[in-house]
Amino acid sequence: MKAGKVVSLVVAATLAVVAALMVLIFETAPGLQQGLEGVPIIVRIGIIAGALGVIYYLILCPVGLLFDRAMREMHRFFVEVATSEQVTPYRVPKWLIPLMHAFTGAVEHFRQQEVDFRNQLRDLEVRHRVSEVQRRQIEAVLHALRDGVLVTDSFNEIVMANDMAANALGFETKDAIHHPLEQVIQDQRMIELVSDAKETMNTAERFHVEHELAVGHDENGNPTGSCLFDLTLACVEDHKHEVGGVVTILHDLTREREISQMKSDFVSKASHELRTPLSSIRAYVEMLVDGEAEDESSRQEFYQIIHNETERLGRLIDNMLNISRIEAGIVQIEREIVDPKELIERAVETIGLQAQAKNISLHTKLAPVSLQVEGDADMLYQAVLNLASNAVKYTPEGGRVTLTADSDNLTRSVVISVVDTGLGIPPDAVSKLFEKFFRVENYKRIAKGTGLGLNLCKHIVETLHNGQIGVESKLGMGSKFWFSIPMRYAGSQAA
Ligand code: ADP
């Protein structure tokens, strides 16, 4: 039902009620009753109703229609404003205009607010996406770092940690995030350092400290070892430019310490090894200068010793250079298809005289199938020659040295081995055999050497050719030195 009709009906009903009330008043008021005395009640009601009807039709009905039209106009206007951008101007009575103005003003205001909110929402979405990408980038960088990174917030809760930090401090990253540091890690000193940094440092400061962290735990939770770390602590700024957390970088110094120890060991061992042939050369040269070699045969003997020592010095320096080049990764290896049988035949030829001088018989056992590996022929030859030459050096007169080349289908590799019936290796020396400058003490008198040959072999096989090297030996019975090159890497076609 339309609003105007409702209004008219309400007005008519009100008039009827008023009319009834008036009749009652006329009936009960004595003055009025006297004036209308003699007039029947039905006529009286008719007069009053007629008068009210006239009032209704002359005054209230036009007002109701006007009101009805205004209501309809407002309804149309409100619907248009709510649903469309294009609004037909309203035509309402003057007294409603301020209301309509207020309404349109409010709608305009809400519309503007909606636009602002939408823009803000879009901005926030963009910012959220950007910060999500940035978060992923930071996480990728953190996880790629070799140093441990641990970030705590102003409540000392862990907000970020990479795997290195988790490993060093013994926690699982996923279980640690948003948990208080003191609940996650056991190292009290570390907890103190982080909370001290938060309390005492400002955002521009950095604090370095060396700290030993317990690593590896047995079944009772006791640490099985320790690692030395260089800790760098710095404060993180919050949005108010105040200290909002602490970032701790854990730099493992263990490897650096080991390397620097290895370097100084190498320098002292190298100097020692260089000094021995040098002292010998100097001594014989001095004797020659002082005329201590009286006859030609003594002089020849001295010259020969000087020559041998110079050769040894040269070998030592060559080996040192080769090893350091391989370790530094600057060796250019010339890859080609190499036949291991050829390497063995060349080596046997080279050490033939040396073996003959000691009455050592040389044998070869070569696989009946074609063996081919991909690698640097000169380097691999050097490795075979070193092992074969050692076998002859450390095998007493009348012994036997056998060189073999075969394929190992189980490990998919080509295996070259040198077996001798020599002195063998003392069990406690086996693990150190491939270390730089290691020489079995008792064998130093038996043969001269540099202590670098096996280390160079290991580098040639393992570092340059991705292979493996090893030794099996029984003291007094002989040794078997072997190395293998994986077929996949070597591209062998061995059957
Ligand atoms: P070196 O120049 O002294 O031979 P290497 O590095 O080749 O240096 O060998 C290291 C040490 O290993 C040797 O000094 C020797 O004591 C021991 N060794 C190597 N090969 C054999 C072998 N076939 N039998 C016994 N001992 C060996």
Side-chain angles (χ1 to χ4, degrees):
M1 199 182 285
K2 290 212 172 122
K5 278 188 184 161
V6 173
V7 172
S8 309
L9 278 175
V10 170
V11 171
T14 314
L15 286 172
V17 171
V18 171
L21 281 172
M22 283 177 75
V23 170
L24 271 175
I25 292 164
F26 286 138
E27 284 297 312
T28 46
L32 273 174
Q33 274 201 351
Q34 274 172 12
L36 292 170
E37 219 170 323
V39 180
I41 187 86
I42 194 80
V43 178
R44 288 185 208 174
I45 290 171
I47 293 167
I48 295 165
L52 289 175
V54 170
I55 294 170
Y56 170 73
Y57 276 107
L58 288 180
I59 304 164
L60 292 179
C61 196
V63 169
L65 285 174
L66 270 177
F67 191 76
D68 177 48
R69 205 178 308 133
M71 281 296 166
R72 265 187 279 147
E73 183 65 10
M74 276 167 72
H75 180 261
R76 190 248 337 140
F77 181 73
F78 291 162
V79 170
E80 267 187 26
V81 163
T83 56
S84 96
E85 296 284 310
Q86 290 293 317
V87 182
T88 325
Y90 47 78
R91 292 184 307 277
V92 290
K94 269 194 182 154
W95 55 273
L96 272 177
I97 287 178
L99 176 69
M100 299 301 275
H101 273 318
F103 178 75
T104 39
V107 167
E108 253 326 289
H109 176 70
F110 289 136
R111 279 230 167 104
Q112 192 50 50
Q113 266 190 343
E114 190 201 350
V115 171
D116 289 350
F117 285 145
R118 275 186 200 285
N119 288 342
Q120 278 177 18
L121 186 69
R122 212 171 304 126
D123 260 22
L124 285 174
E125 276 172 0
V126 171
R127 269 191 230 169
H128 174 72
R129 249 177 273 142
V130 170
S131 61
E132 186 61 19
V133 170
Q134 282 174 342
R135 191 181 64 82
R136 290 219 189 101
Q137 283 171 343
I138 290 170
E139 269 180 10
V141 170
L142 281 190
H143 289 289
L145 285 178
R146 281 166 159 217
D147 288 345
V149 180
L150 177 79
V151 186
T152 49
D153 63 11
S154 52
F155 306 107
N156 259 5
E157 285 183 2
I158 298 175
V159 285
M160 224 184 249
N162 65 359
D163 292 345
M164 295 300 285
N167 287 344
L169 294 164
F171 63 80
E172 287 285 328
T173 321
K174 61 177 172 28
D175 303 334
I177 300 299
H178 302 309
H179 283 80
L181 186 63
E182 54 273 20
Q183 276 178 20
V184 175
I185 69 169
Q186 271 134 43
D187 192 292
Q188 287 307 313
R189 173 89 179 112
M190 179 86 188
I191 297 169
E192 275 167 30
L193 284 168
V194 172
S195 68
D196 284 357
K198 189 163 66 74
E199 303 303 329
T200 57
M201 281 166 57
N202 63 42
T203 52
E205 274 178 289
R206 297 264 176 291
F207 176 63
H208 285 277
V209 64
E210 280 188 9
H211 177 49
E212 200 144 330
L213 283 173
V215 288
H217 290 85
D218 61 15
E219 63 275 11
N220 302 322
N222 298 320
T224 50
S226 69
C227 277
L228 186 68
F229 281 87
D230 173 45
L231 303 183
T232 305
L233 293 112
C235 289
V236 185
E237 229 179 51
D238 66 8
H239 60 286
K240 289 183 226 144
H241 301 289
E242 286 167 6
V243 174
V246 177
V247 56
T248 310
I249 313 282
L250 300 100
H251 179 67
D252 190 351
L253 293 174
T254 321
R255 185 80 191 121
E256 281 170 29
R257 288 279 156 96
E258 273 173 17
I259 290 171
S260 97
Q261 185 59 42
M262 272 159 62
K263 272 185 193 160
S264 62
D265 284 357
F266 179 81
V267 170
S268 72
K269 280 179 186 165
S271 328
H272 176 75
E273 292 301 323
L274 289 170
R275 187 175 293 134
T276 316
L278 212 59
S279 312
S280 175
I281 292 168
R282 187 189 293 139
Y284 282 97
V285 169
E286 274 171 12
M287 281 197 273
L288 284 171
V289 171
D290 295 347
E292 282 180 39
E294 284 160 5
D295 52 51
E296 186 55 30
S297 78
S298 306
R299 274 197 293 278
Q300 284 304 322
E301 192 191 333
F302 285 12
Y303 292 147
Q304 190 56 48
I305 291 169
I306 292 170
H307 175 75
N308 290 347
E309 292 298 329
T310 319
E311 291 266 292
R312 187 178 158 202
L313 210 57
R315 273 202 310 278
L316 196 68
I317 290 166
D318 282 349
N319 281 347
M320 270 165 41
L321 277 177
N322 284 335
I323 290 170
S324 74
R325 276 200 201 116
I326 295 175
E327 283 180 347
I330 51 168
V331 164
Q332 294 280 333
I333 72 163
E334 314 255 324
R335 284 195 195 286
E336 56 185 306
I337 302 295
V338 183
D339 183 351
K341 293 179 194 170
E342 274 175 27
L343 300 179
I344 287 179
E345 277 157 9
R346 263 174 77 192
V348 167
E349 211 178 298
T350 313
I351 58 164
L353 280 178
Q354 199 186 334
Q356 216 178 337
K358 287 178 79 179
N359 198 22
I360 290 171
S361 59
L362 289 178
H363 302 267
T364 55
K365 268 195 212 160
L366 306 173
V369 288
S370 155
L371 295 178
Q372 284 186 333
V373 295
E374 191 194 314
D376 188 302
D378 284 343
M379 296 268 189
L380 289 172
Y381 169 67
Q382 218 174 326
V384 178
L385 185 64
N386 251 320
L387 299 184
S389 156
N390 276 352
V392 173
K393 273 199 305 190
Y394 301 104
T395 297
E397 296 229 352
R400 180 185 170 95
V401 171
T402 311
L403 287 87
T404 67
D406 208 346
S407 62
D408 181 353
N409 287 335
L410 201 67
T411 58
R412 298 185 59 77
S413 54
V414 170
V415 184
I416 292 178
S417 51
V418 179
V419 182
D420 65 55
T421 56
L423 302 171
I425 319 277
D428 60 330
V430 172
S431 61
K432 301 178 219 151
L433 218 54
F434 293 94
E435 285 176 14
K436 288 187 195 94
F437 300 113
F438 178 79
R439 303 181 71 200
V440 177
E441 200 53 43
N442 294 341
Y443 301 171
K444 283 185 180 170
R445 282 172 287 110
I446 295 166
K448 288 197 168 166
T450 61
L452 289 175
L454 288 180
N455 187 264
L456 181 62
C457 287
K458 188 176 168 71
H459 275 304
I460 291 174
V461 172
E462 294 187 352
T463 316
L464 299 181
H465 290 86
N466 206 22
Q468 276 188 326
I469 193 164
V471 59
E472 291 146 30
S473 181
K474 254 193 175 165
L475 192 59
M477 303 288 284
S479 315
K480 175 184 176 182
F481 281 83
W482 59 269
F483 70 83
S484 64
I485 309 276
M487 279 180 194
R488 172 179 52 81
Y489 178 82
S492 168
Q493 293 161 13

